[in-house]
Amino acid sequence: MMSSIKKLSIIGAILCLPNSNAFLSPQTDHRGNTMLFSQQQQNAYYAAAGAPAVDMDQYNLSLEESINEWAAVVQAETSMQEAGIFLKPKNTDNLFVDTLQYTLKREGGLGLMLTEIAGGREDGVGITIIEEVLEEGNAATCGIVPGDSIVALTVSSTKEDNGMDVKELRTDVSTECLGYDSTIDAIVSLPAPASSEDEIVLTVKRIRKQPKISVKLQYPPYLNEPDVSIELFAGENLRRAMLTRGIKLNDKMAERFDSGGTGDCGSDGTCATCVVGVTKGKELLSPMGKQEEQILSQKPRWRMACKAVVGYGMTEGEMTLQVSPRQWE
């Protein structure tokens, strides 16, 4: 182990510390990247909840909580994802993995201390996370926090071609679900910076709490039904979420707004038999589409549950909904 420490110190890449930690210094710089997320792709990650309208750091876990939650999961190939080993939280019901990207200068060092929380395998598979962000490093104020795991690094530099043309040289390294030694090997494999202006992009994964919305459901007075309270997650479709929690939603007494037959339309947003009255927390729902806005133009407090997403903008809060609002009139 001593020989590898000396080698890393000589090339200026890493100064190793005890207990499987490493302070990432000048030439060990990183850029994150398993997939090279653009801002548009990052926003799409939040799916129906839309781009965050709040400071997402309020949903971060502490370092200790992150250590207890990180897990490496083998994923078979699907239409949405390649086969591989990926980071996931153990508690997938209440937590999710966010993917973030940071661009930093390479010169001067990042100032990140790494530690392995799972590993020791011959194939190099494991989990390595950031234990500490040091004040003197370039990463000190960028937004990286303890508990993050670096999943990819990208460095790029420019080079003159035949004394005229400028060529961009780019190197991508994936480090997701690697143990400490394999992570260090990947970092060291990056080319040394060619100039003081060279940058590195870090892609990190971070466990966050799923934003929750507390919903109080009220039934028409003549039914003498007690209010029901349920908890939904940001990004859930209101109709689907209520039905999966056993809430009888569709108003059998309602006239359909379209020319269809009996029953609901199956979430096409044309019949309005799943409408709810929103008496509190309307701002927590996704904006109306043109069709819904036209159909409910005379009912400003109504929303089609099939077209409404709760926790829009990844926002938490409280809502009060009236089920079958026609029967309240």
Side-chain angles (χ1 to χ4, degrees), residues 115-176:
T115 189
E116 179 184 276
I117 61 172
R121 294 164 51 111
E122 292 185 1
D123 58 6
V125 173
I127 302 175
T128 301
I129 66 168
I130 296 168
E131 181 179 358
E132 186 177 354
V133 182
L134 304 178
E135 293 182 1
E136 62 269 27
N138 293 341
T141 59
C142 75
I144 292 175
V145 300
D148 288 352
S149 181
I150 301 173
V151 298
L153 317 163
T154 300
V155 296
S156 38
S157 59
T158 56
K159 179 181 179 182
E160 286 190 2
D161 189 8
N162 297 325
M164 297 177 59
D165 301 324
V166 175
K167 241 173 133 180
E168 183 179 53
L169 305 177
R170 175 175 173 145
T171 304
D172 298 324
V173 176
S174 176
T175 55
E176 182 163 8

Side-chain angles (χ1 to χ4, degrees), residues 84-304:
I85 304 176
F86 302 99
L87 291 169
K88 302 281 186 182
K90 295 175 184 176
N91 180 1
T92 56
D93 289 336
N94 296 288
L95 304 172
F96 74 102
V97 173
D98 210 347
T99 305
L100 307 165
Q101 210 173 67
Y102 301 93
T103 301
L104 302 169
K105 291 285 187 183
R106 297 187 72 183
E107 184 172 309
L110 297 182
L112 298 175
M113 187 178 292
L114 304 183
T115 189
E116 179 184 276
I117 61 172
R121 294 164 51 111
E122 292 185 1
D123 58 6
V125 173
I127 302 175
T128 301
I129 66 168
I130 296 168
E131 181 179 358
E132 186 177 354
V133 182
L134 304 178
E135 293 182 1
E136 62 269 27
N138 293 341
T141 59
C142 75
I144 292 175
V145 300
D148 288 352
S149 181
I150 301 173
V151 298
L153 317 163
T154 300
V155 296
S156 38
S157 59
T158 56
K159 179 181 179 182
E160 286 190 2
D161 189 8
N162 297 325
M164 297 177 59
D165 301 324
V166 175
K167 241 173 133 180
E168 183 179 53
L169 305 177
R170 175 175 173 145
T171 304
D172 298 324
V173 176
S174 176
T175 55
E176 182 163 8
C177 291
L178 294 183
Y180 175 80
D181 289 341
S182 295
T183 298
I184 297 305
D185 289 343
I187 292 170
V188 175
S189 73
L190 293 170
S195 76
S196 60
E197 297 303 312
D198 280 8
E199 294 179 332
I200 188 165
V201 182
L202 302 182
T203 300
V204 304
K205 287 193 172 182
R206 179 180 303 170
I207 300 179
R208 283 175 159 159
K209 299 172 186 175
Q210 297 244 28
K212 297 179 181 179
I213 297 85
S214 299
V215 182
K216 179 191 290 185
L217 300 172
Q218 298 177 326
Y219 291 91
Y222 79 91
L223 291 177
N224 292 320
E225 292 279 353
D227 294 346
V228 174
S229 295
I230 60 174
E231 191 172 68
L232 307 183
F233 292 109
E236 286 197 86
N237 174 270
L238 182 57
R239 178 182 184 271
R240 191 178 305 117
M242 292 172 70
L243 291 176
T244 57
R245 289 164 175 78
I247 305 299
K248 296 179 181 179
L249 183 60
N250 292 90
D251 186 354
K252 297 180 180 179
M253 298 175 62
E255 290 184 29
R256 289 181 57 145
F257 275 68
D258 62 357
S259 58
T262 59
D264 68 88
C265 67
S267 300
D268 284 339
T270 58
C271 71
T273 58
C274 67
V275 292
V276 292
V278 184
T279 60
K280 179 182 179 182
K282 188 176 182 179
E283 71 281 357
L284 297 174
L285 296 177
S286 56
M288 281 186 173
K290 289 187 177 180
Q291 178 174 276
E292 183 184 5
E293 193 172 352
Q294 291 172 352
I295 292 174
L296 301 180
S297 59
Q298 303 302 311
K299 304 290 184 181
R301 289 191 176 183
W302 288 15
R303 288 298 307 268
M304 290 186 184

Side-chain angles (χ1 to χ4, degrees), residues 17-130:
L17 300 176
N19 302 322
S20 295
N21 293 330
F23 167 41
L24 304 185
S25 192
Q27 331 238 89
T28 95
D29 317 310
H30 323 59
R31 162 203 189 164
N33 223 320
T34 13
M35 299 158 112
L36 300 184
F37 290 86
S38 66
Q39 186 61 52
Q40 183 179 8
Q41 289 171 314
Q42 178 60 30
N43 289 344
Y45 176 80
Y46 296 103
V54 298
D55 181 2
M56 291 296 292
D57 284 346
Q58 66 184 294
Y59 305 129
N60 292 350
L61 300 188
S62 67
L63 173 61
E64 293 74 18
E65 291 171 325
S66 296
I67 290 173
N68 291 330
E69 284 294 340
W70 276 124
V73 177
V74 178
Q75 173 72 51
E77 183 176 1
T78 68
S79 58
M80 299 293 290
Q81 189 175 35
E82 295 181 358
I85 304 176
F86 302 99
L87 291 169
K88 302 281 186 182
K90 295 175 184 176
N91 180 1
T92 56
D93 289 336
N94 296 288
L95 304 172
F96 74 102
V97 173
D98 210 347
T99 305
L100 307 165
Q101 210 173 67
Y102 301 93
T103 301
L104 302 169
K105 291 285 187 183
R106 297 187 72 183
E107 184 172 309
L110 297 182
L112 298 175
M113 187 178 292
L114 304 183
T115 189
E116 179 184 276
I117 61 172
R121 294 164 51 111
E122 292 185 1
D123 58 6
V125 173
I127 302 175
T128 301
I129 66 168
I130 296 168

